[in-house]
Amino acid sequence: MSQAGQAVSAPRSGDRLTGSVIVVALVSAISGLLYGYDTGIISGALLQIGEDFDIGHVWEQVIAASILVGAVIGALTCSRLAERRGRHGTLLLIGIVFVIGSLAASLSPDPITLSLSRLVLGFAVGGATQTAPVYVAELAPTAYRGRLVLFFQIAIGVGIVIATIVGAAEIIDWRVAIGMAAVPAAIMFALMLRLPESPRWLAREGHLDRAEEALGRVRHRDSDLSAELQGIRENVEAEKQASTRGWSGLKAAWVRPALVVGCGLAVFTQLSGIEMIVYYTPTILTDNGFSDSTALRVSVALGLTYLIAQLIGLAIIDRVGRRRLTLLTLPFAALALIVLGTFFVTGNDGKSMIPWIVATLVAFMAFTAGGIQLMGWLTGSEIYPLATRAAGAAAQSASLWGTNVLITLTLLSTMNAIGTGQTFWMYAVFNIIAFVFLWKKMPELTGRSLEEIEQHLADGKFKPADF
């Protein structure tokens, strides 16, 4: 273990939470809430939009997926902005785009304009998912890093719950529902004005005095910052001497294991079936004979389950461990999808089976939201070396959003082609494959500082058996 790793992981007063760190986590949480709300609101809104614009499933898939295409663009673009201009300035820009995208979507006169507006909104969503967790991870004390980064993930659940409640109310026009997202976006922007730049980014850019000042703003006033600053300096110096920087650095053999785990995990968070449930539950249920009101109430139940499961995961993740929690929950998520698919394939999907179908949907949501869904953004903020962290997180975000686009654009068509139950079975298989992949590739990162994780990569020991 390097001296830097030892210094950073040792207990110190800097591990205490401060008000500034909490505000940092709050900004990240607001960006997560916007992600959950802006993507989740389309679930119920599609029922109104379809009637207003007189469109079918193809246009519904395009409207739902447009925000995801924008997210891929935003993740890739903001990774470069975060490297060149800093995490802080990039998040300020994202706040502005959130406001513009929300208002433009709410005023759209036709499906084309709505899709383009949601593309802009998606830019902010993708940029936030790439930048906010990294920003929090680089400012948070090691002892709290996992929980503070996961505020972003928990806030996604809050956003989804709010979106499903708004949709289920059936009295709020879809334009108002979409436009309301501009309010938290403006609050996010205002809070960012009070926060410092990432001290790790400042140190990497050669601004050591500013890095020390920024770190002092997010640590307790009685903290001795010397050990943490020394660890950051040594890490930055090592990165300067290495040939692994930015996107080209991701090609390095010693970084590749992190990229494989990160992008593989990102892909499987989507192939788990979570977005199928979040975006299209009302559409799937109404297409199979459920009433609109029943379908929307089920969406609320699923949104609440998502949030509760994530809160439980947040409470236990630093004790149970990232790897262990993921591997414990994946088999049960797969089983729930197998049972759900069986209901539809065998014709047991009528009104008498509604309680069983809902219970199975809730069970699936609990196991996937409380397991693999916690890991997608968290790992992207911590497994990559400092010099490639923004690029790695962007690659991971793009993998996640790209998979999401593919699923969203094809899901309803796939169900029409092979059947609803068979589609659930297909996603159950994806969960099983995810279990095998993560069992073999994903090490336990819980309790490790960012510098310790990087040291394991440099030593060629980024394997489950080596942690």
Side-chain angles (χ1 to χ4, degrees), residues 71-324:
V72 175
I73 299 171
L76 295 174
T77 302
C78 290
S79 74
R80 296 185 180 276
L81 287 175
E83 285 293 273
R84 295 179 182 179
R85 302 297 181 184
R87 285 56 158 145
H88 183 266
T90 302
L91 284 170
L92 283 173
L93 173 65
I94 288 168
I96 294 172
V97 177
F98 263 129
V99 173
I100 294 172
S102 299
L103 294 178
S106 69
L107 299 172
S108 298
D110 53 57
I112 296 176
T113 308
L114 177 58
S115 297
L116 292 175
S117 299
R118 282 176 60 78
L119 186 74
V120 173
L121 191 57
F123 179 94
V125 170
T129 59
Q130 189 277 323
T131 310
V134 171
Y135 181 64
V136 176
E138 292 185 346
L139 271 75
T142 297
Y144 294 95
R145 188 183 70 240
R147 280 168 283 181
L148 291 179
V149 171
L150 281 176
F151 276 2
F152 176 85
Q153 184 73 44
I154 296 300
I156 295 174
V158 175
I160 291 172
V161 169
I162 295 173
T164 56
I165 291 174
V166 170
E170 299 185 88
I171 57 174
I172 300 177
D173 184 78
W174 67 268
R175 296 181 184 278
V176 176
I178 290 176
M180 288 193 303
V183 176
I187 294 173
M188 170 186 163
F189 177 84
L191 289 175
M192 278 301 304
L193 294 174
R194 302 177 52 199
L195 295 174
E197 182 55 86
S198 161
R200 286 174 169 83
W201 182 85
L202 288 169
R204 200 197 67 188
E205 295 298 305
H207 306 301
L208 295 178
D209 290 342
R210 291 176 59 193
E212 183 175 1
E213 178 184 354
L215 190 63
R217 288 178 61 183
V218 294
R219 295 292 181 266
H220 195 274
R221 60 185 178 184
D222 297 329
S223 297
D224 179 6
L225 304 179
S226 57
E228 188 169 4
L229 284 169
Q230 181 63 20
I232 292 173
R233 290 192 192 101
E234 291 180 5
N235 186 247
V236 168
E237 187 60 33
E239 295 295 347
K240 287 181 178 179
Q241 296 174 5
S243 58
T244 52
R245 294 185 65 84
W247 285 91
S248 60
L250 295 177
K251 300 176 184 178
W254 70 280
V255 179
R256 197 173 301 135
L259 185 65
V260 170
V261 170
C263 291
L265 182 59
V267 168
F268 282 119
T269 60
Q270 305 309 292
L271 292 180
S272 67
I274 185 73
E275 305 305 346
M276 166 179 63
I277 302 302
V278 170
Y279 295 156
Y280 289 131
T281 288
T283 302
I284 293 170
L285 295 181
T286 53
D287 283 354
N288 284 275
F290 288 63
S291 67
D292 285 3
S293 58
T294 298
L296 290 170
R297 285 197 294 270
V298 171
S299 288
V300 174
L302 293 176
L304 288 170
T305 302
Y306 183 103
L307 177 58
I308 293 169
Q310 294 238 307
L311 289 171
I312 294 172
L314 174 65
I316 66 176
I317 190 170
D318 285 329
R319 292 193 293 271
V320 176
R322 290 139 170 77
R323 168 183 159 86
R324 183 182 301 175

Side-chain angles (χ1 to χ4, degrees), residues 83 87 130 134 137-138 200 235 380-394 450-451 454:
E83 285 293 273
R87 285 56 158 145
Q130 189 277 323
V134 171
E138 292 185 346
R200 286 174 169 83
N235 186 247
S381 69
E382 63 185 12
I383 64 174
Y384 300 104
L386 175 63
T388 63
R389 188 166 297 146
L450 299 180
E451 286 71 30
E454 182 166 344

Side-chain angles (χ1 to χ4, degrees), residues 358-371:
V358 172
T360 309
L361 281 168
V362 167
F364 164 76
M365 183 63 80
F367 285 116
T368 195

